[in-house]
């Protein structure tokens, strides 16, 4: 079994991150942070703190200080219940498929999860997640795959009829509960399969 997570608003509290970012900038003396953010999002398809700092017109010698001030809370904004699931399932069985700016997303993931997910199992896309989720399903076609995302548009975009080993979980207010239930059910199915194979003399040749 493999579990694919979205990052923002699933593993990571992106809403709290944004509010803390605005709060830090205001304390630093930047009063128009929200207005600049709104203007930036009107033209920028994906967000990154580095680009945002450019939009704010921060002096070159202050950029690193501002960047670190914004990014430092990442380590405290991770969903601890889901981290416990990651540790229990095993990081070799965990994937992240996230949408956004490549460098920004990877920096957030690294700071928030600190080695709890294999770097090679993290994929950042600028648009649809369809191809990357399908690739993982096909790579592990003999295993059950769970993909959880907070946005229905990404779940609906998946070619589920072409991916019989894929189960999807909408990560809403009951997301953790639903995910845990799916994991328990898949483990029950896997156990039954192993028992049947052992009773029939081992797995059949494919």
């Amino acid at each position: 079994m493999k579990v694919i997570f979205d990052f923002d608003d699933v593993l990571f509290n992106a809403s709290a991150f944004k509010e803390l970012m605005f709060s830090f900038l205001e304390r630093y003396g930047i009063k128009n942070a929200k207005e600049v953010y709104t203007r930036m999002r009107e033209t920028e398809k994906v967000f990154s703190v580095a680009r945002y700092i450019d939009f704010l017109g921060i002096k070159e010698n202050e950029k690193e200080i501002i960047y670190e001030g914004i990014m430092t809370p990442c380590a405290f904004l991770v969903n601890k219940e889901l981290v416990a699931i990651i540790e229990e399932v095993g990081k070799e069985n965990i994937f992240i498929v996230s949408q956004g700016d490549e460098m920004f997303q990877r920096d957030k993931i690294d700071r928030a999860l600190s080695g709890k997910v294999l770097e090679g199992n993290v994929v950042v896309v600028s648009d649809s997640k369809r191809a990357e989720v399908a690739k993982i399903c096909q790579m592990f076609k003999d295993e059950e795959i769970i993909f959880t995302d907070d946005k229905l548009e990404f779940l609906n975009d998946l070619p589920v009829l072409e991916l019989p080993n894929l189960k999807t979980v909408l990560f809403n207010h009951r997301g953790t509960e639903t995910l845990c239930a799916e994991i328990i059910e898949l483990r029950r199915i896997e156990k039954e399969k192993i028992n049947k194979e052992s009773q029939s003399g081992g797995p059949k040749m494919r």
Side-chain angles (χ1 to χ4, degrees):
M1 177 178 61
K2 310 296 182 190
V3 182
I4 308 171
F5 288 96
D6 173 38
F7 185 67
D8 289 327
D9 294 318
V10 177
L11 286 169
F12 182 77
N13 192 334
S15 299
F17 173 81
K18 185 165 71 173
E19 290 308 312
L20 287 169
M21 176 178 72
F22 292 146
S23 178
F24 167 77
L25 291 170
E26 187 173 351
R27 292 197 310 272
Y28 199 83
I30 301 169
K31 304 300 182 184
N32 64 338
K34 290 185 179 181
E35 290 80 1
V36 172
Y37 176 85
T38 300
R39 289 202 306 271
M40 176 184 175
R41 294 317 308 263
E42 289 173 356
T43 58
E44 299 282 311
K45 185 177 180 180
V46 294
F47 176 80
S48 82
V49 167
R51 285 284 293 150
Y52 182 42
I53 288 172
D54 288 339
F55 269 75
L56 287 167
I58 304 298
K59 294 177 182 177
E60 196 64 38
N61 62 348
E62 296 181 25
K63 285 184 176 181
E64 186 174 349
I65 295 170
I66 297 292
Y67 185 86
E68 286 302 319
I70 291 172
M71 297 297 289
T72 294
C74 288
F76 311 107
L77 296 175
V78 69
N79 185 318
K80 293 180 180 179
E81 290 181 320
L82 295 187
V83 168
I85 290 174
I86 288 173
E87 292 174 344
E88 199 270 331
V89 171
K91 64 182 179 180
E92 69 278 5
N93 298 313
I94 301 296
F95 291 81
I96 293 175
V97 177
S98 178
Q99 183 199 39
D101 176 84
E102 177 92 20
M103 291 183 65
F104 175 50
Q105 291 300 104
R106 287 190 178 276
D107 194 15
K108 275 195 302 182
I109 292 166
D110 185 57
R111 290 170 186 257
L113 294 175
S114 187
K116 290 182 173 62
V117 178
L118 298 174
E119 186 177 351
N121 287 4
V122 175
V123 179
V124 179
V125 298
S126 60
D127 197 0
S128 173
K129 301 179 182 181
R130 180 187 179 103
E132 294 300 334
V133 172
K135 187 186 298 183
I136 295 168
C137 291
Q138 290 159 1
M139 190 183 305
F140 301 98
K141 60 184 179 181
D142 294 329
E143 296 187 52
E144 297 297 327
I145 311 289
I146 302 173
F147 174 50
T148 182
D149 200 301
D150 67 304
K151 291 185 174 64
L152 197 57
E153 63 187 91
F154 289 124
L155 300 180
N156 289 341
D157 184 45
L158 297 171
V160 290
L161 295 178
E162 300 170 22
L163 304 170
N165 60 333
L166 175 66
K167 291 184 177 293
T168 60
V169 172
L170 177 63
F171 198 84
N172 52 23
H173 65 286
R174 295 185 59 190
T176 302
E177 180 185 343
T178 305
L179 178 61
C180 286
E182 287 288 356
I183 290 172
I184 290 169
E185 176 62 12
L186 288 184
R187 282 187 168 156
R188 184 190 67 78
I189 293 170
E190 285 179 349
K191 188 176 181 180
E192 283 185 358
K193 182 180 177 182
I194 291 169
N195 288 339
K196 285 180 181 178
E197 287 177 346
S198 64
Q199 290 169 10
S200 62
K204 293 180 172 59
M205 295 296 289
R206 294 183 183 276

